[in-house]
């Protein structure tokens, strides 16, 4: 059965991108291979990504990945939905650009993602508004976040809306705190 999982990283003060919509801050976090939990965390994240049957993200996340991949083919094999109203550059890969202006449109797109995932997880990459809207509609199952030891002071919030969570796990993963939560459905 497919789960919908928001798997991401955040700053200690709760931002997934800085005020310039960049993720460079995340890649600047220093980590040593011998750090406790580092190898296990990397393996778990890579396994999750390989096992995702569908991916959803916003336009800003897509643009950042596209820019940093330098126009190469899309780095993920799973069909990827990009929620946008803008014309975005395209690359080779299974990319599906769509708008979701209403709750019903988001429900319908989510149903398409679950069908495409075929029993595997739907990976919500970003952003925080998409994850919060999925949670509000009862469609998000889990939030799995790696908290970086850095404060950004502003930017794109981890969750852009009220979401109630139940703790499932907390672990040290190199310099990150790895936290998993079940989404509490009201």
């Amino acid at each position: 059965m497919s789960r919908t999982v928001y798997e991401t990283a955040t700053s200690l003060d709760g931002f997934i991108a800085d005020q310039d919509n960049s993720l460079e801050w995340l890649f600047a976090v220093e980590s040593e291979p011998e750090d406790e939990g580092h190898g296990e965390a990397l393996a778990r994240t890579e396994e999750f990504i390989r096992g995702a049957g569908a991916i959803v993200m916003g336009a800003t996340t897509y643009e950042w990945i596209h820019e940093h991949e330098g126009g190469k083919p899309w780095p993920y094999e799973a069909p990827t939905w990009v929620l946008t109203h803008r014309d975005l550059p395209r690359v080779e890969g299974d990319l599906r650009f769509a708008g979701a202006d209403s709750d019903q449109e988001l429900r319908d797109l989510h149903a398409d993602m679950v069908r495409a995932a075929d029993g595997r997880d739907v990976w919500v990459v970003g952003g925080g508004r998409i994850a919060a809207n999925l949670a509000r509609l009862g469609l998000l199952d889990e939030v799995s976040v790696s908290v970086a030891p850095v404060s950004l002071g502003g930017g794109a919030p981890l969750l852009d809306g009220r979401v109630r969570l139940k703790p499932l796990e907390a672990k040290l993963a190199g310099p990150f705190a790895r936290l998993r939560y079940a989404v509490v459905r009201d």
Side-chain angles (χ1 to χ4, degrees):
M1 181 172 157
S2 292
R3 299 174 311 143
T4 300
V5 179
Y6 184 31
E7 171 89 22
T8 194
T10 185
S11 64
L12 185 61
D13 56 347
F15 297 101
I16 58 174
D18 69 17
Q19 293 169 338
D20 296 321
N21 290 318
S22 176
L23 302 177
E24 292 299 327
W25 66 270
L26 178 60
F27 299 101
V29 175
E30 293 188 27
S31 179
E32 299 296 327
E34 64 272 5
D35 285 349
E36 181 181 341
H38 180 269
E40 177 187 335
L42 282 177
R44 190 202 142 323
T45 299
E46 289 171 4
E47 180 182 341
F48 174 82
I49 291 169
R50 275 193 312 276
I55 299 170
V56 62
M57 67 184 64
T60 303
T61 304
Y62 172 79
E63 287 176 312
W64 194 90
I65 294 170
H66 179 270
E67 178 183 325
H68 288 82
E69 287 292 313
K72 296 179 198 168
W74 191 238
Y76 305 109
E77 291 183 25
T80 301
W81 279 259
V82 179
L83 303 186
T84 187
H85 292 288
R86 297 182 273 157
D87 286 330
L88 298 172
R90 296 173 187 254
V91 294
E92 180 183 328
D94 191 350
L95 292 163
R96 304 165 189 204
F97 297 86
D101 295 324
S102 70
D103 289 351
Q104 190 56 53
E105 287 175 326
L106 186 54
R107 282 186 183 96
D108 292 345
L109 281 173
H110 182 263
D112 291 344
M113 293 176 224
V114 169
R115 274 191 294 281
D118 194 27
R120 298 181 325 211
D121 289 337
V122 174
W123 176 22
V124 181
V125 178
R129 182 172 300 130
I130 293 169
N133 283 336
L134 288 167
R136 181 177 52 78
L137 296 173
L139 303 173
L140 186 66
D141 299 299
E142 185 175 305
V143 174
S144 181
V145 60
S146 295
V147 181
V150 64
S151 176
L152 298 177
L158 171 65
L159 289 161
D160 193 0
R162 184 176 185 275
V163 179
R164 288 186 351 147
L165 302 168
K166 175 185 172 189
L168 296 174
E169 179 181 43
K171 293 175 80 170
L172 187 60
F176 294 86
R178 181 132 178 93
L179 308 172
R180 285 184 49 238
Y181 298 91
V183 175
V184 176
R185 292 188 167 91
D186 292 324

